[in-house]
Amino acid sequence: MFDTSLVSTSATITQVAEAFAVPESIHGMTIGGDLLPGLEALTTTSTRTATQLLASTVNLASVIPTNLTAPANLTAPAAVSPQQLVPQQVGDPTALASLTGLTLLQQLSLLQPTAISDFVAGNPEAVQQLLDSPPAAREVEVWWLALDGSAQGDLLASAPGLVGNLEGVPFGTRDSANRSYLSETIARLSGPESGSRSQALDASTQLRMLQKVSDALVTPEGAAPRSLLSLDPSGAGTASIVIGDLASADYVSILVPGMFYTVDGQMAAWTAAAQGLYDEQVAWVDQLGLGGTVATVAWIGYETPSLVNFTSLDLAYKGSDALAGAVDGLHSLRGDNQPFLSVIAHSYGSTAAMMALTDYGIDIDSIGIIGSPGSSAQLASDLGVPGDNVYVGEADWDQVKDSAFFGSDPGSASFGAHRFRVAGGTDPVTGEALLGSTGHDEYLMVGSESLRNLALVALGQGRLVTLADGSAVTKASTDYSH
């Protein structure tokens, strides 16, 4: 379904590589009589509340010099608390570049819109560092909720690419920010070329990538709405498109891709796969009388490897970091209304997902592993997924499976996962014919036994999954409403 075919018949390094392939101002406050640097331009009336100002001082005491002494001919002033000193630094854009994490976010929210835009444009490294090493989702959520509507609006208008990629910012807000960033960037890159030939080439590549995202965001007639959860066009690019309502869905599935999956090359195909899983889950919710709603996430939230680096786990570590952040963001925003959360991980993405489970202990309810090249976990129980909800699918002609290239083979009997059928046949519940999956990229094929089983895994209906040991449910022996 991804316009590629399996070209490998053995598990040597070169052949495994081939088998992976696919388609926030103050007036002039002074210290010692000198105006603080940069404040001359920030003397417009502040609309920020005292609550924001106090909130912005959190963690800033660490940036106040502690080794300064008064000249001998001066009388030492009365003691001054850090809270009295810190606000004098608030809103100084020249000092922001040295800040990180939550402190940087707090200070940005105190700037005027033009100053926010200027900072983002003039300090791309600081912004990228913030996105690469963001505060915890809960901290971001509290920070965002503490801002008044004006401050939120300023950040949305002046730094959409930042706001849209912060875990902890409401999903609808992120969608609005990312769509704005997408359209603005496409318009800018579509203008007259400037700069060097290399810069022009980079701009062309980025433009093509963003157009692919824009195309994938188009909702088919009658289908569930789509939203842009994340977008970063730098480098190889990352993006995530949601089908359904992530803020309220009872069942949420995150699809994690493997090697060669890029925003430029596979955003449309991966979104189509998420749509197929969504449709299959909705059909089963109706069939079984489960009630509830569904959301799926076509998540290309990390740079996947290519032929030059597929033997390294470096990108898997980065993928596990990003996935852990995404899961943390979801849990933070859903509060007391948590969904049944599953991860459907393909190929190298399964290695990254299992690392997120073992290294971060991400809280999910089930995982479907397909075409995996291996896991650092020795046993399914090491993954910490409740209820033994670890399911593995392997197609007969998939030369990546069984390779155990990155550790234990999740499909082996000794690993202890539930191995489900992907070969096709007749659905024991509906009686419908099911297609078989044979190659590395056919597990999410519409109408397949593999997709049917993955949908059930993602709905917490593992007992209805057809297993590779030959067991199957029967319509007469199962109460589907539980």
Side-chain angles (χ1 to χ4, degrees):
M1 66 182 289
F2 301 108
D3 300 326
T4 61
S5 59
L6 188 65
V7 295
S8 170
T9 57
S10 69
T12 64
I13 290 179
T14 300
Q15 292 168 321
V16 168
E18 294 171 346
F20 271 112
V22 291
E24 193 147 29
S25 96
I26 63 174
H27 293 286
M29 296 184 178
T30 62
I31 294 179
D34 296 325
L35 191 65
L36 285 178
L39 291 183
E40 297 91 334
L42 296 171
T43 56
T44 57
T45 302
S46 171
T47 60
R48 303 303 184 245
T49 65
T51 299
Q52 280 182 252
L53 188 59
L54 289 175
S56 72
T57 65
V58 177
N59 298 326
L60 275 177
S62 61
V63 303
I64 300 174
T66 58
N67 59 346
L68 299 180
T69 58
N73 62 331
L74 294 181
T75 301
V80 181
S81 68
Q83 287 79 6
Q84 290 173 283
L85 287 176
V86 171
Q88 300 183 57
Q89 299 182 28
V90 168
D92 180 2
T94 65
L96 297 192
S98 64
L99 303 179
T100 60
L102 185 61
T103 305
L104 176 54
L105 288 178
Q106 291 166 333
Q107 292 296 291
L108 275 175
S109 65
L110 296 169
L111 297 178
Q112 296 300 312
T114 55
I116 297 174
S117 297
D118 290 347
F119 176 81
V120 171
N123 298 274
E125 296 85 1
V127 174
Q128 191 62 51
Q129 181 183 8
L130 179 57
L131 291 175
D132 290 342
S133 301
R138 179 56 181 165
E139 293 180 327
V140 173
E141 181 185 11
V142 171
W143 162 74
W144 184 261
L145 291 175
L147 301 177
D148 59 27
S150 176
Q152 291 179 350
D154 288 349
L155 285 165
L156 271 171
S158 305
L162 172 60
V163 174
N165 289 282
L166 285 174
E167 299 292 347
V169 173
F171 299 126
T173 301
R174 290 177 63 179
D175 177 46
S176 296
N178 286 322
R179 286 177 181 271
S180 176
Y181 182 55
L182 175 64
S183 61
E184 289 174 3
T185 307
I186 288 178
R188 174 174 56 81
L189 295 176
S190 299
E193 292 185 4
S194 61
S196 65
R197 180 178 300 178
S198 176
Q199 290 173 322
L201 180 60
D202 289 344
S204 176
T205 299
Q206 194 173 87
L207 176 60
R208 184 177 63 247
M209 180 195 309
L210 294 175
Q211 288 171 332
K212 296 292 183 64
V213 173
S214 181
D215 291 343
L217 270 174
V218 176
T219 301
E221 184 176 356
R226 297 182 178 185
S227 58
L228 189 51
L229 181 64
S230 66
L231 176 65
D232 181 0
S234 63
T238 61
S240 302
I241 293 178
V242 178
I243 298 170
D245 188 352
L246 201 57
S248 64
D250 299 287
Y251 304 96
V252 173
S253 301
I254 303 175
L255 285 75
V256 183
M259 185 176 177
F260 288 152
Y261 277 76
T262 65
V263 176
D264 185 15
Q266 282 76 40
M267 191 77 252
W270 202 232
T271 303
Q275 182 71 61
L277 180 62
Y278 176 94
D279 293 341
E280 185 76 12
Q281 286 182 268
V282 169
W284 280 108
V285 167
D286 292 341
Q287 172 76 30
L288 305 178
L290 298 178
T293 57
V294 171
T296 57
V297 184
W299 190 83
I300 306 184
Y302 77 114
E303 179 184 348
T304 64
S306 63
L307 280 173
V308 301
N309 56 4
F310 83 96
T311 61
S312 169
L313 283 173
D314 290 349
L315 294 177
Y317 281 109
K318 292 181 179 181
S320 69
D321 293 347
L323 180 59
V327 171
D328 183 38
L330 176 63
H331 284 312
S332 179
L333 289 173
R334 291 298 297 265
D336 295 331
N337 181 31
Q338 294 294 324
F340 185 94
L341 178 59
S342 61
V343 169
I344 305 300
H346 175 244
S347 191
Y348 188 92
S350 71
T351 301
M354 286 185 279
M355 289 170 63
L357 284 163
T358 57
D359 296 351
Y360 289 95
I362 61 172
D363 184 8
I364 64 174
D365 298 292
S366 67
I367 184 170
I369 301 166
I370 45 181
S372 180
S375 167
S376 57
Q378 298 299 303
L379 301 170
S381 57
D382 295 338
L383 299 177
V385 181
D388 296 326
N389 285 328
V390 180
Y391 291 81
V392 178
E394 297 184 331
D396 287 343
W397 293 359
D398 181 355
Q399 297 303 307
V400 175
K401 72 165 179 74
D402 298 335
S403 66
F405 197 81
F406 294 115
S408 301
D409 174 16
S412 66
S414 61
F415 191 77
H418 301 290
R419 292 178 291 170
F420 62 85
R421 285 175 45 82
V422 302
T426 301
D427 192 307
V429 175
T430 67
E432 296 178 355
L434 299 170
L435 299 174
S437 303
T438 56
H440 186 61
D441 300 306
E442 297 179 359
Y443 296 102
L444 295 168
M445 181 169 59
V446 173
S448 67
E449 184 175 24
S450 175
L451 183 63
R452 175 236 191 235
N453 286 330
L454 288 170
L456 289 168
V457 167
L459 292 172
Q461 299 295 314
R463 61 204 175 88
L464 302 184
V465 169
T466 54
L467 300 177
D469 62 6
S471 64
V473 299
T474 62
K475 196 168 185 177
S477 65
T478 305
D479 177 5
Y480 306 119
S481 64
H482 291 76

